[in-house]
Structure formats: C-alpha cells, structure tokens
C-alpha cells in the first residue's frame, strides 16, 4: 500500500519483551493445564505411562519443528480467507538473524479477520492439543500444546493490542517488524 506511513498508524511490539512474555505465557499455560492433568490422571495411569516413552517425546520434539512451519501456514490460510486477493496476498519467509519463519499478508483487512488469522495457530496447535491431552492422558501432547501456546505469545500480544482499536478499521501487517499499521476509515 502506497504511503502507508501517512495513512496508517504503526503499532509494533518489542521482540525482547515478546520473548519474556512468551516465557510468562508458557509458565501460565503449563500451570493451567498441568494441574488439571495430574488431578485427572494421577490415579488412573501409572506415572511412567503418563510421562510417555522416550519415543513419544522424540516424536513430539520432531513434530514441534514441523509445527513451527505449520504455525505460519495456518496464519496464511486464515488470512487468505479475509484478504480480498486471497492467497495471492500471502507471503512467507525466514528472518535469518533470528532463525524465525514468518507469514505476511500484503494487503489490509478488517481487524476481526486479522485477529482470527493471528490467533488460529494458538488455537489449533496449542489449545486444542492441550485440551485433548487432558482427555487422553498424554503428557507429550500436553507439552506440545503448551509449547505452541507460548510460541503464539507475539500473536496473543498483537491480538490484545487490536482489541483496543475500532473493529471497522483496517489493519496491515508491517512488512519487516512484529507489528502492523492501523488504517482508520475516513469519517469514523
């Protein structure tokens, strides 16, 4: 979008603070899920079965690497549903300095659609597996869910920032920073 600096208001989050926030989110999610997990399963399964075998943990760790890429793909698929140009407006890359993959939407969209795309990886890769782990008694799956809830800390933070904005405004991903531009509609 041309002249975005003139038309939009930049909102960015500090990566260092986001990493600290991720640790806080991980601790909170771990406590929130581990307490009910052990209350439910401590007398139903032996501890060694709850912990899972070595192979279960290797699978969980290996799938976490794949999950990081899937996290970005979920952003893209969801945002493509809300972007006028669909999939054509989505791009992917890696910030090599931080070894961090990213997904970027190249066109503005309404805030609720952007928020849906921001939170969908947390829900699908984090919350759903963590809740499922409570039902099936799998500690490796619970660890997977907690990890991906924490991996979405920046998304959670940006979504929280967007709750303060007019939902009729447009939001455009910042092309190089963890953040976005808010484009207020004229006359609103």
């Amino acid at each position: 979008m041309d002249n975005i600096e003139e038309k939009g208001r930049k909102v960015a989050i500090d990566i260092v603070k986001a990493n600290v926030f991720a640790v806080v989110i991980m601790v909170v999610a771990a406590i929130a899920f581990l307490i009910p997990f052990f209350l439910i399963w401590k007398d139903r399964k032996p501890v060694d079965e709850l912990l899972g075998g070595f192979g279960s943990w290797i699978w969980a760790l290996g799938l976490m690497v794949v999950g990081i890429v899937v996290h970005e793909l979920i952003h893209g698929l969801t945002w493509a549903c809300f972007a006028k140009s669909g999939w054509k407006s989505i791009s992917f890359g890696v910030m090599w300095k931080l070894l961090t993959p990213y997904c970027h939407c190249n066109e503005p969209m309404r805030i609720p659609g952007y928020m849906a795309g921001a939170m969908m990886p947390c829900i699908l890769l984090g919350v759903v597996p963590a809740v499922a782990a409570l039902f099936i008694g799998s500690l490796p799956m619970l660890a997977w869910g907690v990890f991906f809830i924490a991996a979405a800390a920046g998304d959670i933070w940006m979504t929280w920032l967007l709750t303060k904005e007019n939902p009729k405004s447009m939001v455009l991903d910042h092309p190089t920073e963890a953040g976005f531009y808010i484009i207020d509609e004229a006359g609103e």
Side-chain angles (χ1 to χ4, degrees):
M1 197 170 178
D2 298 332
N3 304 323
I4 189 61
E5 295 287 341
E6 295 170 17
K7 296 178 185 175
R9 179 172 33 89
K10 180 178 156 183
V11 178
I13 62 174
D14 181 297
I15 293 295
V16 173
K17 288 180 183 177
N19 287 335
V20 171
F21 183 61
V23 171
V24 171
I25 291 288
M26 183 179 285
V27 169
V28 169
I31 291 168
F33 284 103
L34 281 171
I35 290 172
F37 181 86
F38 283 110
L39 288 174
I40 293 166
W41 292 103
K42 67 179 174 135
D43 295 328
R44 294 183 180 180
K45 284 187 175 181
V47 173
D48 61 331
E49 193 177 330
L50 283 177
L51 292 176
F54 181 72
S56 297
W57 287 97
I58 295 299
W59 269 102
L61 290 173
L63 289 174
M64 282 180 185
V65 174
V66 173
I68 292 167
V69 174
V70 172
H71 174 113
E72 300 307 326
L73 184 59
I74 292 169
H75 280 313
L77 290 169
T78 309
W79 283 332
C81 293
F82 293 99
K84 286 182 183 176
S85 299
W87 192 249
K88 292 177 187 175
S89 65
I90 306 299
S91 59
F92 298 92
V94 177
M95 288 187 273
W96 290 107
K97 206 162 58 169
L98 302 170
L99 289 176
T100 304
Y102 66 85
C103 174
H104 175 67
C105 184
N106 303 310
E107 70 178 64
M109 68 182 74
R110 295 277 179 213
I111 287 176
Y114 187 89
M115 290 170 72
M119 289 305 296
M120 200 59 66
C122 179
I123 295 165
L124 295 179
L125 296 175
V127 176
V128 170
V131 170
L134 293 177
F135 284 94
I136 65 172
S138 171
L139 197 55
M141 182 182 283
L142 184 65
W144 162 281
V146 168
F147 174 82
F148 278 103
I149 290 170
D155 302 326
I156 294 167
W157 189 352
M158 289 199 302
T159 300
W160 179 76
L161 291 173
L162 284 168
T163 63
K164 300 175 181 183
E165 302 291 341
N166 179 349
K168 293 182 181 177
S169 293
M170 302 292 278
V171 61
L172 176 65
D173 243 358
H174 193 287
T176 59
E177 295 179 37
F180 46 81
Y181 291 99
I182 297 295
I183 306 159
D184 292 315
E185 295 292 315
E188 290 187 43

